Amino acid sequence: MKAFVVTGPRRFSVWDVEPPVPGPGQVVVDVERAGVCGTDMEFFSGEMAYLSEDHARYPIRLGHEWCGRVSSVGEGVEDGWIGTRVTGDTMLGCGRCRRCLGGLQHVCEDRFEIGIRGGWPGALAEQLPVPVTALHALPDAVDAVAGAMVEPGGNALRAVEAAALAPDDRLLVLGPGTIGLLAARFALASGAEVHIMGLSEPSLEFARGLGVHGAWTSDRLPRLPFDAVIDASNAPGLPALAVDLVEPGKRVVYIGIAPRSSAVDTRVLVLKDVTAVGILSASPGLAGAIEKYASGSVDPRPLVAAVVGLEEVGAVLAGSRPAGCGPGPKIHVDPRA
């Protein structure tokens, strides 16, 4: 089968590789769609911290946002899974440690991360091996485009849930990328007033088209009382700004990761009685994202600007936008195109 492989910083190729064979407790999925995200771009550039921490090494097969159809099953897996449309968890815990047994497999010290950590191959390929325990079945109402948006949606949903918004609360999202816009959509569906802060007018105009109540550059952001702030950016200065902007007694949620250390003055947290929450992984939010997509209360599909084949992934990771693509931030890949 064909798989996209990053062989070193800014070096890549599409390889012919042996198709996966499902081991005990595993299935093989024929990948229908896979998303390209910021983590993939960091591996492509060589800046991803896992490379220096020896959690990952080249060559690496990327892709952790995906959906597809189960084509074969391994020992101990029911044949009924064959033909089922699925997506799945990125975080594969060891299943034995205290964290895994407590339902926190996504922070297991010995976890694999599909397409990211520990050498588990990713979904920028025609087929993908996955433990059956990581699978989530997709209803017919969730098509392939939405199915490959479940993983970023689970992250965004967790961020909104951590913000603990009441109806009519006012939320500020920092960063109009995929996670920030999905968080805005989930928050709008809950009845919140949603504002977004970003850098470029085209991205802010796109956010306005999704129904947010305000989309602002930093110099134009009104000094409104924000009941929660979600930092979905990678800017090192915004974590501290989030604490400055949130109302006393309210919540700041951090889901973006800056390329270098970002400082937050804990004295401000204490004196404002602010709760700060960090979010890693979609794992506890996957089922909720599927439910909201299936019900139609949140539609992630407008965020997808284009669908490309494996041969075009390298250019996308290098920062190019496909010809004729839409204004959304997300590029999807059809590995069989």
Side-chain angles (χ1 to χ4, degrees):
M1 70 168 188
K2 294 188 180 302
F4 180 84
V5 184
V6 177
T7 56
R10 300 192 174 276
R11 299 199 303 271
F12 63 92
S13 184
V14 176
W15 287 2
D16 286 315
V17 301
E18 288 296 319
V21 176
Q26 296 180 0
V27 308
V28 168
V29 174
D30 292 343
V31 180
E32 294 180 51
R33 289 289 187 277
V36 176
C37 89
T39 300
D40 301 320
M41 298 179 84
E42 288 182 3
F43 274 115
F44 183 78
S45 70
E47 297 170 329
M48 175 59 182
Y50 279 0
L51 292 168
S52 60
E53 295 168 355
D54 203 33
H55 292 311
R57 60 187 63 180
Y58 300 118
I60 185 168
R61 285 164 51 182
L62 301 173
H64 60 277
E65 306 173 0
W66 58 272
C67 71
R69 194 178 295 273
V70 176
S71 58
S72 61
V73 300
E75 180 184 347
V77 180
E78 295 180 3
D79 289 341
W81 278 105
I82 295 176
T84 302
R85 295 183 58 247
V86 294
T87 187
D89 201 343
T90 299
M91 307 301 217
L92 311 179
C94 71
R96 303 178 300 275
C97 69
R98 185 172 183 268
R99 295 176 192 175
C100 286
L101 296 175
L104 297 174
Q105 100 287 340
H106 60 288
V107 288
C108 170
E109 186 66 28
D110 296 322
R111 67 185 180 274
F112 291 95
E113 297 179 27
I114 290 176
I116 298 175
R117 174 174 164 144
W120 196 285
L124 293 181
E126 293 180 310
Q127 291 186 311
L128 172 71
V130 190
V132 69
T133 52
L135 295 181
H136 288 259
L138 292 175
D140 292 340
V142 179
D143 65 10
V145 178
M149 292 291 281
V150 168
E151 198 278 343
N155 277 285
L157 178 59
R158 289 192 65 211
V160 172
E161 291 174 343
L165 297 165
D168 298 321
D169 273 358
R170 182 180 289 119
L171 169 68
L172 175 63
V173 179
L174 304 179
T178 298
I179 299 297
L181 291 173
L182 284 171
R185 303 217 91 179
F186 283 115
L188 287 168
S190 74
E193 177 185 327
V194 180
H195 296 254
I196 282 187
M197 192 183 88
L199 294 175
S200 72
E201 185 54 36
S203 67
L204 295 174
E205 187 59 33
F206 180 72
R208 293 184 191 106
L210 296 178
V212 301
H213 297 83
W216 316 90
T217 54
S218 59
D219 58 325
R220 295 187 176 183
L221 180 70
R223 293 296 292 196
L224 298 171
F226 294 109
D227 299 293
V229 179
I230 296 174
D231 178 15
S233 78
N234 62 358
L238 290 191
L241 181 63
V243 178
D244 178 56
L245 293 173
V246 76
E247 279 287 278
K250 299 295 185 172
R251 289 188 165 228
V252 171
V253 181
Y254 296 112
I255 191 167
I257 299 178
R260 61 180 188 273
S261 178
S262 50
V264 173
D265 190 339
T266 58
R267 294 172 298 181
V268 181
L269 283 174
V270 171
L271 293 172
K272 291 184 71 172
D273 198 22
V274 168
T275 299
V277 183
I279 297 294
L280 173 72
S281 154
S283 301
L286 294 170
I290 293 170
E291 180 182 346
K292 292 187 182 298
Y293 290 176
S295 71
S297 64
V298 174
D299 185 0
R301 295 172 296 180
L303 276 65
V304 179
V307 180
V308 302
L310 290 175
E311 298 287 350
E312 300 167 84
V313 172
V316 171
L317 290 173
S320 295
R321 300 276 288 179
C325 72
K330 178 63 67 176
I331 305 297
H332 273 179
V333 180
D334 179 349
R336 297 174 184 273

